[in-house]
Amino acid sequence: MNELIASLPLDDLKVLELGQLIAGPTCGQVLADFGAQVVKIEPPGKGDAMRQWGQTDESGEPLWWNVIARNKQSLTLDLRKPEGQDLLRRLAAKADVLIENFRPGTMERWGLDYQSLSADNPGLIMVRVTGFGQDGPYASRAGFAAVCEAMGGLRYISGYPDRPPVRVGISLGDTLAGVQGAMGALLALHQREKTGRGQVVDSAIFEAVMAMMESLIPDYARAGKIRERAGSFLPKIAPSNAYPARDGRDVIIGANQDTVFRRLCEAMGQPTLADHPDYADHRARGENQQAIDELIAAWTAHHDAQHIVDLLADAGVPAGLVYTAKDMLEDEHIKERGSIVEVPDRHGKPLPMQNVFPRLSQTPGKVRQVGPALGEHTETVLGDWLELDHNSIDALRKDSVI
């Protein structure tokens, strides 16, 4: 591998994050992970609601905050006050990127719309993350991920056909919109190198979900097919499912390609299955999906899960266990790759969390610190960015602007 370069790829960027909860802050997290100076603007006294979400440690401090706010600085600022709005304008004049995920029209009411901010900083890029986007009939609606995942098509196909739609156990729509917002910011930054001008990145949650829905839309538009809920498998893609092992665990096996299916049959001790007319090619297996799944489940039920995974790994058949967080922390491959990293929390105790992704060979991102305390960097940022002295900062604090 090439020798690592000490600098981080985005360490020359200044970013203001006005977002809250998950979608906007995920965008900020991606940029911060790769070195951008991300200053998180939070309401004085209470901060982002994410500071209260999720599990807490033994001291009562929330753990999720340490992930989504990692590598960021916290500056408290009351954007509902004219003085706070004025400070934000001055900060935006120094920034490369501004992220916000308020309901459309909020920034405009505060006089912090893109046209106003870019008048002082033509190169500014504003990432606007919302449920339904900045325009259209639904723009003003509140748009949490659950609703937008449904509109984007994900909920309809999630779950089993005889039950109502289910949700994935994470806020997937929020995260997708945040990551897409970060990608949009980087695209806009690249364009700015050519023109010197910034632009608005409009990242709607429902569209971020819709963008990952494969051929769902043309399947209906051209073939009249609506993709339905199918549970743990994809219709006509076989075998590819979760199969029960003797020890009570499930094993995921994907052997829908002809050559891989043949290897699976050999590993199962049933090589003639690969030549059976019901299973000999992809289309035949798709038509007989239930039958082939039952054959495989009957085999896996006589073996422990880890034995099945090891056997199929040697045979060149994709297979794996269904992991919990405990499994991830104990897995030798995850340890070897450093996919989970321990970071000191604010009390110096090691806190494991997922590492930065994607991986870069020469300038990889890095988790440098956990989520900051509320207002931890207020004086530093106002001093460094705006050259405010202690007296000016004290006056702002006295007036509850910060």
Side-chain angles (χ1 to χ4, degrees), residues 309-339:
V309 171
D310 293 341
L311 178 68
L312 296 185
D314 290 340
V317 177
L321 302 174
V322 179
Y323 274 17
T324 66
K326 179 177 183 294
D327 299 315
M328 295 175 194
L329 286 164
E330 295 173 352
D331 184 87
E332 61 182 0
H333 184 77
I334 290 176
K335 289 179 180 178
E336 179 68 24
R337 282 181 58 82
S339 305

Side-chain angles (χ1 to χ4, degrees), residues 195-391:
T195 66
R197 298 200 62 84
Q199 58 185 297
V200 174
V201 177
D202 183 352
S203 182
I205 298 173
F206 89 92
E207 287 176 326
V209 173
M210 190 184 295
M212 62 174 284
M213 296 311 294
E214 301 175 349
S215 62
L216 182 144
I217 294 172
D219 283 352
Y220 173 72
R222 287 294 181 88
K225 299 293 185 181
I226 293 180
R227 191 177 298 189
E228 301 288 347
R229 292 187 290 283
S232 59
F233 63 89
L234 292 175
K236 308 297 184 182
I237 306 296
S240 181
N241 210 333
Y243 302 94
R246 181 172 60 187
D247 54 3
R249 299 195 70 175
D250 289 321
V251 179
I252 305 297
I253 300 175
N256 46 293
Q257 189 176 355
D258 290 350
T259 54
V260 180
F261 179 67
R262 183 172 294 277
R263 294 198 293 269
L264 172 62
C265 294
E266 292 170 355
M268 292 168 56
Q270 304 178 55
T272 58
L273 274 180
D275 297 313
H276 191 288
D278 287 348
Y279 315 124
D281 59 33
H282 179 83
R283 187 174 297 276
R285 289 191 302 275
E287 294 297 328
N288 296 281
Q289 188 162 26
Q290 182 176 349
I292 191 61
D293 275 349
E294 289 174 354
L295 285 168
I296 297 171
W299 173 71
T300 59
H302 287 88
H303 303 278
D304 288 345
Q306 190 61 58
H307 170 75
I308 296 169
V309 171
D310 293 341
L311 178 68
L312 296 185
D314 290 340
V317 177
L321 302 174
V322 179
Y323 274 17
T324 66
K326 179 177 183 294
D327 299 315
M328 295 175 194
L329 286 164
E330 295 173 352
D331 184 87
E332 61 182 0
H333 184 77
I334 290 176
K335 289 179 180 178
E336 179 68 24
R337 282 181 58 82
S339 305
I340 294 175
V341 63
E342 286 192 343
V343 186
D345 66 16
R346 290 195 295 275
H347 305 290
K349 297 178 62 177
L351 178 65
M353 65 177 66
Q354 55 270 43
N355 208 343
V356 175
F357 188 82
R359 294 167 174 263
L360 301 184
S361 62
Q362 294 193 46
T363 56
K366 182 179 180 181
V367 183
R368 304 178 299 282
Q369 64 179 46
V370 298
L374 180 61
E376 181 178 341
H377 305 94
T378 297
E379 292 193 18
T380 300
V381 173
L382 292 179
D384 290 349
W385 285 42
L386 304 183
E387 299 182 353
L388 297 186
D389 58 28
H390 291 298
N391 291 335

Side-chain angles (χ1 to χ4, degrees), residues 4-231:
L4 297 181
I5 297 174
S7 63
L8 294 169
L10 303 181
D11 63 5
D12 58 337
L13 293 182
K14 289 185 174 181
V15 179
L16 297 175
E17 181 193 296
L18 279 62
Q20 54 188 327
L21 297 177
I22 303 171
T26 296
C27 177
Q29 179 194 328
V30 172
L31 300 179
D33 280 351
F34 288 96
Q37 182 187 5
V38 177
V39 177
K40 182 170 184 63
I41 309 294
E42 301 185 74
K46 56 182 180 179
D48 190 332
M50 281 301 297
R51 291 182 176 274
Q52 310 302 323
W53 280 31
Q55 298 293 326
T56 60
D57 62 16
E58 63 276 6
S59 66
E61 293 196 14
L63 296 167
W64 193 351
W65 174 254
N66 288 310
V67 179
I68 200 166
R70 68 190 190 188
N71 295 329
K72 300 176 186 178
Q73 297 176 310
S74 173
L75 183 153
T76 53
L77 189 61
D78 190 341
L79 294 176
R80 290 171 172 79
K81 293 187 174 183
E83 299 89 344
Q85 295 161 6
D86 179 64
L87 282 174
L88 194 282
R89 290 188 196 95
R90 295 168 63 188
L91 290 167
K94 308 278 188 178
D96 296 288
V97 179
L98 185 148
I99 304 164
E100 64 94 7
N101 67 338
F102 301 115
R103 194 178 296 192
T106 301
M107 295 290 283
E108 284 75 8
R109 287 198 306 273
W110 290 339
L112 302 175
D113 54 282
Y114 183 72
Q115 184 175 357
S116 299
L117 297 180
S118 63
D120 295 326
N121 181 1
L124 179 67
I125 292 153
M126 180 183 282
V127 180
R128 313 195 74 174
V129 188
T130 57
F132 302 101
Q134 295 298 313
D135 53 22
Y138 305 160
S140 62
R141 293 182 181 180
F144 274 18
V147 176
C148 297
E149 287 168 12
M151 184 176 177
L154 180 62
R155 286 298 183 94
Y156 186 81
I157 64 170
S158 299
Y160 289 85
D162 59 341
R163 302 172 219 174
V166 301
R167 71 171 298 163
V168 179
I170 57 173
S171 298
L172 184 60
D174 283 330
T175 301
L176 285 170
V179 172
Q180 295 280 21
M183 182 176 72
L186 297 178
L187 293 170
L189 285 163
H190 184 67
Q191 178 67 15
R192 191 179 73 176
E193 292 181 0
K194 305 175 188 178
T195 66
R197 298 200 62 84
Q199 58 185 297
V200 174
V201 177
D202 183 352
S203 182
I205 298 173
F206 89 92
E207 287 176 326
V209 173
M210 190 184 295
M212 62 174 284
M213 296 311 294
E214 301 175 349
S215 62
L216 182 144
I217 294 172
D219 283 352
Y220 173 72
R222 287 294 181 88
K225 299 293 185 181
I226 293 180
R227 191 177 298 189
E228 301 288 347
R229 292 187 290 283

